[in-house]
Amino acid sequence: MRILIACEFSGTVRNAFSELGHDAWSCDLLPTETEGKHIQGDVLGILNDNWDMMIAHPPCTHLAVSGARWFKDKIKEQAQAIEFFMALINAPIPYIAVENPISIMSTRYRKPDQIIQPWQFGHGETKATCLWLKNLSLLMPTNIVDGRQPRVHMLPPSPDRWKLRSITYKGIANAMAEQWNL
Ligand SMILES: C[S@@+](CC[C@H](N)C(=O)[O-])C[C@H]1O[C@@H](n2cnc3c(N)ncnc32)[C@H](O)[C@@H]1O
């Protein structure tokens, strides 16, 4: 299958699908940080390019409820973030998953199909992750482990902290590739 991993610089989900033999491409404004097929640029320009599946990780800065106290100062940015999310979920692609933390999209679009946690996929951390799915099955836990430390507490301050925090967990990427291996 031809698979687009939208808004991914790490290559984590792309590589999980590539390893299973798919023609998987990541796309991000940033360069990719691991070897693999990557399109650097605006993903909105390639949504019509005949993909079979898309897994998207749009920015959550102006959507996540954890940032609610800033919303009133960021009305324009939030409207753009909602529009971007909706362009992804409404893309002309048969199989779609869009991932975001607990965010206003639960009311502005609809409730997510499921909320997963890294500790269900082999990582002893918490980070509630919502999935909105089109034609894809719910992701089943693969390895429930102990440990309930919030990811936010695991990383020391650094200029790259936001990037490290945003990288998809390998256990979740592997579960997506194995369970959505259509
Ligand atoms: C929350 S991070 C997701 C990181 C991802 N989970 C990973 O493992 O690489 C959101 C990403 O969306 C990218 N992004 C924002 N707007 C974009 C656009 N129009 N087209 C492509 N990527 C975009 C940002 O550069 C950022 O890397």
Side-chain angles (χ1 to χ4, degrees):
M1 279 202 305
R2 213 169 115 70
I3 304 178
L4 172 62
I5 315 301
C7 306
E8 180 178 79
F9 61 84
S10 71
T12 315
V13 180
R14 178 200 65 211
N15 292 346
F17 277 94
S18 303
E19 281 159 21
L20 295 185
H22 294 289
D23 183 22
W25 292 77
S26 50
C27 173
D28 200 290
L29 299 173
L30 302 172
T32 187
E33 296 196 337
T34 54
E35 200 168 322
K37 295 175 183 171
H38 184 72
I39 299 161
Q40 186 175 353
D42 185 352
V43 72
L44 296 181
I46 60 166
L47 293 179
N48 290 305
D49 292 358
N50 290 317
W51 304 100
D52 298 307
M53 183 187 296
M54 175 177 69
I55 297 167
H57 310 276
C60 60
T61 316
H62 304 303
L63 302 176
V65 294
S66 55
R69 65 187 180 284
W70 311 115
F71 284 172
K72 64 180 185 329
D73 305 322
K74 301 273 181 185
I75 288 168
K76 191 166 153 227
E77 289 87 344
Q78 186 173 77
Q80 286 167 347
I82 293 170
E83 198 179 327
F84 186 61
F85 181 108
M86 293 309 299
L88 294 172
I89 197 75
N90 289 326
I93 299 174
Y95 300 96
I96 296 181
V98 178
E99 172 260 318
N100 232 219
I102 308 279
S103 79
I104 58 165
M105 295 316 295
S106 292
T107 48
R108 302 300 281 270
Y109 171 45
R110 64 169 169 82
K111 282 198 164 55
D113 293 286
Q114 68 178 137
I115 301 177
I116 58 172
Q117 286 282 355
W119 53 262
Q120 298 173 309
F121 299 88
H123 304 268
E125 298 175 24
T126 58
K127 187 184 181 207
T129 301
C130 300
L131 295 176
W132 288 265
L133 304 173
K134 280 193 172 170
N135 295 324
L136 288 170
S137 56
L138 297 181
L139 215 54
M140 305 306 287
T142 50
N143 180 19
I144 294 178
V145 294
D146 291 339
R148 298 289 185 270
Q149 181 84 337
R151 184 181 225 188
V152 67
H153 294 161
M154 309 280 284
L155 298 165
S158 80
D160 272 352
R161 192 164 186 263
W162 77 266
K163 266 178 126 183
L164 296 170
R165 275 181 67 181
S166 77
I167 291 176
T168 305
Y169 289 86
K170 184 90 178 84
I172 294 178
N174 288 345
M176 288 174 168
E178 282 157 18
Q179 297 179 34
W180 297 340
N181 185 16
L182 305 174

